Every structure is written in C-alpha cells, then in structure tokens.
Amino acid sequence: MNIAIATQGREAQSLIPKKLAEADFLFIVDVEAFEVKQILNAVKENTDVYFARETVAQNCEAILCGDIEKDAFEILAKASVSRYNASGHSATQAVKLMNAYQLTLIREYSGGPGCGGETHHHHE
C-alpha cells in the first residue's frame, strides 16, 4: 500500500506542518516494504493541489498531512484517498500512529461546511 506524507523536510524525522499547503516535500511510501519510493518537492504555487494530484497519480490510499484547503481536498476525496491529520508529528511517528489507528480522519476541507456534524466556528 502506498501512502503520501507531507513534510517540512527530506528526512524521516521531518515534521508534518499544520497545513498541507505549508509542506515542502511529499514522501511517497510503500508501507508494506518500508520503502520510500519517491520524494517530491513543493512547487511555487498551489503546492497543496500539486501534492493532492501527485498523491492520486502515485496510487496512494492515504495522505498524512495537516489541514487541507478546498481544491486539494476535493481532488483527494473524489479519488477516495483517506486523509489523516498528522500535523505536528514526524513522518515516522505518523506512519506508526496511522498503523495503530490513532490518527483522526480529515472529513472536511479547512473552513468547509462540515465539522463532524456540529455547528461551530473556527476563529483564527
């Protein structure tokens, strides 16, 4: 199974930022083989959309990242890619947490209409 991990650095201990758009790198990892297949660099504009498209193109079943903006979220959701909030964890920690079912699913894009069915507002 391939997964994508959005990080701030090129190392396995690199942290996952608060937002997908803030990531500098996208690891494509074969979880069964414990192998990094590819590391993609961020692009100048719309990094989150680029990383979302690459996650789909690389046949990833999940992405470990921070908050996702609407355009990138929709690309991932339409392709049925599971989205896990791993913000603040290293890439290595995030994979371990995902395998232990300890990461929360990202069910809605940042600022989107659905927040777990409850009506509440985010103040930033």
Side-chain angles (χ1 to χ4, degrees):
M1 170 175 89
N2 288 347
I3 64 167
I5 308 169
T7 65
Q8 293 175 315
R10 291 184 68 94
E11 296 80 36
Q13 294 307 315
S14 299
L15 292 180
I16 295 167
K18 289 187 187 300
K19 297 181 178 185
L20 176 57
E22 295 171 352
D24 294 315
F25 300 94
L26 188 73
F27 284 68
I28 306 298
V29 178
D30 180 335
V31 194
E32 279 96 22
F34 298 102
E35 170 182 84
V36 176
K37 296 175 80 174
Q38 195 171 0
I39 301 175
L40 303 167
N41 295 323
V43 293
K44 290 191 189 316
E45 293 179 28
N46 299 322
T47 291
D48 55 342
V49 171
Y50 169 69
F51 282 164
R53 286 187 179 135
E54 284 298 317
T55 297
V56 172
Q58 299 290 331
N59 294 316
C60 294
E61 292 183 29
I63 184 168
L64 311 183
C65 59
D67 289 343
I68 307 169
E69 297 296 323
K70 183 178 181 184
D71 292 344
F73 182 92
E74 289 180 351
I75 291 165
L76 295 164
K78 283 179 185 166
S80 299
V81 174
S82 297
R83 303 154 309 275
Y84 293 100
N85 187 342
S87 173
H89 298 291
S90 72
T92 303
Q93 287 172 319
V95 171
K96 289 177 183 173
L97 290 168
M98 181 193 76
N99 287 335
Y101 303 99
Q102 294 183 336
L103 292 177
T104 57
L105 275 172
I106 299 173
R107 298 184 187 280
E108 188 60 71
Y109 56 85
S110 181
C115 288
E118 296 179 16
T119 304
H120 65 274
H121 301 280
H122 298 277
H123 301 283
E124 297 188 52

